[in-house]
Structure formats: C-alpha cells, structure tokens
Amino acid sequence: MIAKIADVEKNFKSDLKKVSQPNELEEIRIKYLSRKGLLTQLFEEFKSLPREEKHKYGQSINELKELLLKSYDEIKSKLESSQAKNETVIDYTLPERKKQIGSKHILIQTLDEIKSIFKGIGFSVYEGPELESDYNNFEALNFPGDHPARDMQDTFFINESFLLRTHTSPVQIRVMQQLKPPIRVIVPGKVYRNEAISAKSYCLFHQVEGLYVDTDVTFTELKGTLVSFAKQLYGSDLKYRFRASFFPFTEPSAEMDIWWQPAGKEGRWLEILGCGMVDPNVLKNVGIDPEKYTGYAFGMGVERMALRKYGIDDIRIFFDNDKRFLTQF
Ligand code: PHE
C-alpha cells in the first residue's frame, strides 16, 4: 500500500510538470482526482483494509490527497492568470466589424466643387465672421440707415450695431479694406435670416460670394464667368437666364436662374445667384477710386445649387442630420 501511495504521488508530480494547457490539466484531474480517479481507487482499497492496517496508512493517504488538491489548484490558477494576460490573442475567424466613419456633408461636397471651379479660373478663397457689424453688413454696402432695402433680408440682430450676417457680401468690404486691386476672391460661408422655415427657406444657409475688382472689369466678363462656372458644375447643355434685378451695392444688378426639371415633375426656373457691377459708392466707402477701378460681385446660394445638382426638393433635409439621407452621397 505504501508503495502504491508513493507511486501515485511520483506519477502525479511528473504528469503535472508537463502541463501547459487547461485541457492537459483537465486530463490530470480526471486521471487522479475524479470519482473514478487513482486517488479514489486508493481510498477504496484503504476502506477494505483491516482495522489495524488502516491505522498505518490513513495519514499518508490523507497527506497525498491534500498534496494532490493543493498542487492541482496552484497549477490551475497559474494557467488562468497567464491566460488572462494573453487575452489580446486575435481570433482570425471572427467576422469583421465595419468601422463607421463619417462622410463629407453634401453641402460641403457642393462647396468644395464650387471652390475648385473658381480656383481653376484664378480666384482665391477668403473667409469672414458670421457675427458682423451693421456697418459691414448694410451701411458700407450702400443700405442707408432706414432704407427699405434692409427689409429684403430679415435680420437677427444681436444689438444696435451687431447682427448675424444676412449675406456674405460684408466680406467684400473686409477684403477691399485689406487688399489692393486687382482683387479676385470668393468667400464661402454661413448666413442667417429670420425667415419662416419652409421647404424653400431656412433660418441658416450657405452662400459663396465672388468679387473681382480691377481696371476695366465689365459686365460681359461677369456673365461669361458665371456661365462658364455653371456649365462646369451642371454640364454644358445647361439652360440658364439672367434677369435684371436690384441690390443696393451693385449697379446694374441681375439674377441668374437655371432650368430645373426634377424627375416626374414639371420643370421650373431656379434662382441661384444675385450679381452685378460693384456700386461706385461701395468702392468709395473702402477707399478705392471708382474713376480708376470697376468691379463685379456675385453671391450664390449653395443649398440652391445642391438642390438642383442632387434632385432634392426640400431645403430642410440638409439640416436634419438624418443618416439615411446623408449616407446616400
Ligand atoms: N448678397 C446678395 C444676397 O444675399 C447677393 C449678391 C451678392 C448680389 C453680390 C449682388 C452681388 O441676396
């Protein structure tokens, strides 16, 4: 009996040394510690010994049991902690998880296209603040104090002298105060109007202003530039027209419409921009001699351009942040 006990102990120890994986340890548990394992067998044999023999072996067999259980537990917890360390093990069989990264908003995409066309014909890009002075937004642009033309643009006033710009035209003033002619810039940006929100108008929208000041700038050049721009954006078969219009800061002034035929609907003219020759009063306000220089300016609505380009008929959808809409582009 003593020899058997020693044997089990010896074999157990040597088996345990070889263990490096949980399944190997499990084999050892079954071999020695399970209900039919070697330890149980020893106990069975022990039970059937005559009384005085039991006395002889009892202690050894109990010591063996303790040793086996203790060593088993030790190895088990060692294996578990080393497994925890290796938890970053990559399982190559898992299906991929698609990363959801954002995309450029359709308005920004349209803006990018507009910018790149104008850069291609020699315009550089400028920006100005959305919080503007009444002076830059109206006064310097030839809207006198209580002139009714101010009603053309319902304004969010901050106080007596500041407001959220109602158009990008105040940046014309900023640019002309800073640069000397020849000036050839476009100014993209957000503008704000206190209007009832509908499918056609929103309290916030985007414009791209254009300004060209030099000697001998003509209305013909203005028209030529805008037509060439629109055809690059919409294709050379674009149908367009210019209508005479009024802006306090340009004279003469016009608006440009493009033909829009949404699928399955009646076609219609869509106004996309206002334009004209920079009014001599505006040049005077920024200290440019109107006898020597002339200029043209235009301001286009980016949402309008995008509506036509992507066949959308409700301006509000640009601002809803609905992923179902945004991910289509
Ligand atoms: N600022 C005008 C508007 O918002 C557009 C415009 C810009 C017209 C430049 C003429 C010249 O309606």
Side-chain angles (χ1 to χ4, degrees), residues 157-171:
F157 282 97
I158 304 295
N159 58 28
E160 283 256 308
S161 11
F162 287 95
L163 43 76
L164 292 178
R165 66 179 180 196
T166 57
H167 51 176
T168 41
S169 300
V171 191

Side-chain angles (χ1 to χ4, degrees), residues 153 166-167 169 172 193 207 209 247 249-250 274-276 297-299:
Q153 304 177 351
T166 57
H167 51 176
S169 300
Q172 286 187 33
R193 294 208 193 157
Q207 285 189 335
E209 193 80 10
F247 300 100
F249 41 94
T250 47
C275 62
F298 56 84

Side-chain angles (χ1 to χ4, degrees), residues 274-287:
C275 62
M277 301 306 291
V278 179
D279 194 287
N281 279 339
V282 175
L283 293 176
K284 264 189 232 152
N285 288 340
V286 291

Side-chain angles (χ1 to χ4, degrees), residues 189-313:
K190 290 193 187 83
V191 303
Y192 301 83
R193 294 208 193 157
N194 193 358
E195 279 172 10
I197 290 170
S198 71
K200 280 190 181 161
S201 62
Y202 201 73
C203 51
L204 145 77
F205 56 99
H206 295 75
Q207 285 189 335
V208 175
E209 193 80 10
L211 176 70
Y212 176 32
V213 183
D214 202 350
T215 50
D216 304 320
V217 177
T218 65
F219 197 90
T220 312
E221 276 178 280
L222 169 61
K223 246 180 118 172
T225 305
L226 291 175
V227 169
S228 140
F229 157 75
K231 286 188 170 175
Q232 283 185 62
L233 194 64
Y234 294 109
S236 53
D237 53 353
L238 178 75
K239 233 169 92 181
Y240 62 88
R241 70 179 184 194
F242 284 84
R243 280 177 294 106
S245 185
F246 169 79
F247 300 100
F249 41 94
T250 47
E251 181 61 34
S253 306
E255 280 171 325
M256 183 181 183
D257 300 336
I258 58 176
W259 184 250
W260 188 25
Q261 177 86 61
K265 287 188 188 162
E266 242 176 72
R268 64 181 169 100
W269 288 108
L270 183 71
E271 179 205 320
I272 55 163
L273 60 83
C275 62
M277 301 306 291
V278 179
D279 194 287
N281 279 339
V282 175
L283 293 176
K284 264 189 232 152
N285 288 340
V286 291
I288 292 179
D289 182 0
E291 298 297 326
K292 192 166 163 206
Y293 294 103
T294 51
Y296 69 62
F298 56 84
M300 60 183 74
V302 181
E303 281 74 3
R304 293 292 183 87
M305 319 283 294
L307 288 180
R308 162 71 159 79
K309 193 157 172 66
Y310 296 101
I312 299 160
D313 55 12

Side-chain angles (χ1 to χ4, degrees), residues 58-191:
Q59 201 183 344
S60 323
I61 202 169
N62 271 320
E63 275 171 9
L64 175 68
K65 183 184 170 188
E66 262 169 47
L67 175 86
L68 259 56
L69 286 175
K70 203 173 139 226
S71 318
Y72 170 81
D73 281 346
E74 264 174 26
I75 300 288
K76 191 172 176 217
S77 63
K78 252 194 211 162
L79 278 181
E80 278 170 359
S81 75
S82 81
Q83 257 214 325
K85 271 186 224 146
N86 287 340
E87 209 120 81
T88 43
V89 170
I90 297 170
D91 182 351
Y92 295 102
T93 64
L94 284 176
E96 70 168 325
R97 236 180 286 160
K98 270 217 164 155
K99 265 200 191 147
Q100 288 235 347
I101 51 168
S103 58
K104 270 193 185 174
H105 193 283
I106 178 178
L107 283 176
I108 301 298
Q109 290 181 38
T110 310
L111 255 176
D112 283 350
E113 265 186 87
I114 296 172
K115 278 193 236 173
S116 102
I117 294 173
F118 279 107
K119 279 186 194 166
I121 43 182
F123 283 76
S124 43
V125 180
Y126 254 74
E127 279 182 27
E130 289 166 27
L131 179 65
E132 223 353 320
S133 64
D134 183 274
Y135 178 79
N136 286 342
N137 195 85
F138 290 126
E139 204 74 33
L141 288 168
N142 209 26
F143 289 83
D146 45 12
H147 194 278
R150 285 186 175 221
D151 292 345
M152 284 164 76
Q153 304 177 351
D154 292 316
T155 309
F156 288 113
F157 282 97
I158 304 295
N159 58 28
E160 283 256 308
S161 11
F162 287 95
L163 43 76
L164 292 178
R165 66 179 180 196
T166 57
H167 51 176
T168 41
S169 300
V171 191
Q172 286 187 33
I173 302 300
R174 291 174 176 272
V175 169
M176 287 190 285
Q177 282 168 343
Q178 280 166 30
L179 307 178
K180 296 218 155 19
I183 296 169
R184 199 187 309 219
V185 299
I186 56 163
V187 183
K190 290 193 187 83
V191 303

